[in-house]
């Protein structure tokens, strides 16, 4: 069964915005709240890289390349996280993956959602 479901990807011109969402449908509120969540991306022909993370206590961290343009957030009541992406650049083109880390070390990935930014 699917652990994480992403949505919100698409095609946009440079300078535009997109909002990605990730839901953990199998989690109950208390379980989801205790996990660290994040967004990663894999550009064409490159390795997967960290974009942003948000811990269970809502501490955030961003890759230098997206700082000031992207914002990660979470809504524990909905068991969801979001990635607001503004001022998108062609180099942001990638498959974006949602990641969930449990305190016992288990890690899960979503299926990925494509983001394409044209110049």
């Amino acid at each position: 069964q699917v652990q994480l479901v992403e949505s919100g990807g698409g095609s946009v011109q440079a300078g535009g915005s997109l909002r990605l969402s990730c839901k953990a449908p199998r989690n109950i509120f208390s379980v989801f709240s205790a996990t660290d969540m994040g967004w990663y991306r894999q550009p064409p022909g490159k390795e997967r890289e960290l974009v942003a993370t948000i811990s269970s206590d809502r501490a955030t961290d961003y890759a230098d390349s997206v700082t000031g343009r992207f914002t990660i957030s979470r809504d524990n009541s909905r068991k969801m996280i979001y990635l607001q992406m503004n001022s998108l650049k062609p180099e942001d083109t990638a498959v974006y993956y949602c990641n969930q880390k449990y305190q016992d070390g288990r890690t899960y990935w979503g299926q990925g959602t494509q983001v394409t930014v044209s110049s």
Side-chain angles (χ1 to χ4, degrees):
Q1 294 187 356
V2 177
Q3 181 73 17
L4 300 170
V5 180
E6 300 114 332
S7 60
S11 296
V12 65
Q13 290 190 331
S17 297
L18 283 173
R19 187 194 196 207
L20 304 184
S21 300
C22 173
K23 186 176 179 68
R26 297 182 63 194
N27 281 174
I28 60 174
F29 169 82
S30 59
V31 170
F32 181 82
S33 300
T35 60
D36 295 334
M37 302 293 297
W39 290 98
Y40 291 70
R41 67 186 182 188
Q42 187 164 14
K46 298 184 179 180
E47 294 186 353
R48 193 172 299 188
E49 62 187 21
L50 178 134
V51 176
T53 60
I54 184 164
S55 68
S56 57
D57 59 358
R58 299 181 183 272
T60 59
D61 189 31
Y62 296 91
D64 290 344
S65 59
V66 306
T67 297
R69 299 189 297 123
F70 292 10
T71 302
I72 189 171
S73 61
R74 65 190 298 161
D75 184 340
N76 290 337
S77 65
R78 295 178 183 269
K79 301 174 293 181
M80 295 188 70
I81 67 166
Y82 306 95
L83 186 68
Q84 178 65 43
M85 306 186 294
N86 298 328
S87 302
L88 282 161
K89 304 175 182 180
E91 51 264 44
D92 294 319
T93 294
V95 178
Y96 283 71
Y97 296 91
C98 179
N99 174 268
Q100 183 177 39
K101 296 180 180 178
Y102 286 73
Q103 293 179 359
D104 63 6
R106 286 176 295 153
T107 299
Y108 294 94
W109 294 91
Q111 81 284 358
T113 185
Q114 177 70 46
V115 171
T116 302
V117 184
S118 58
S119 58

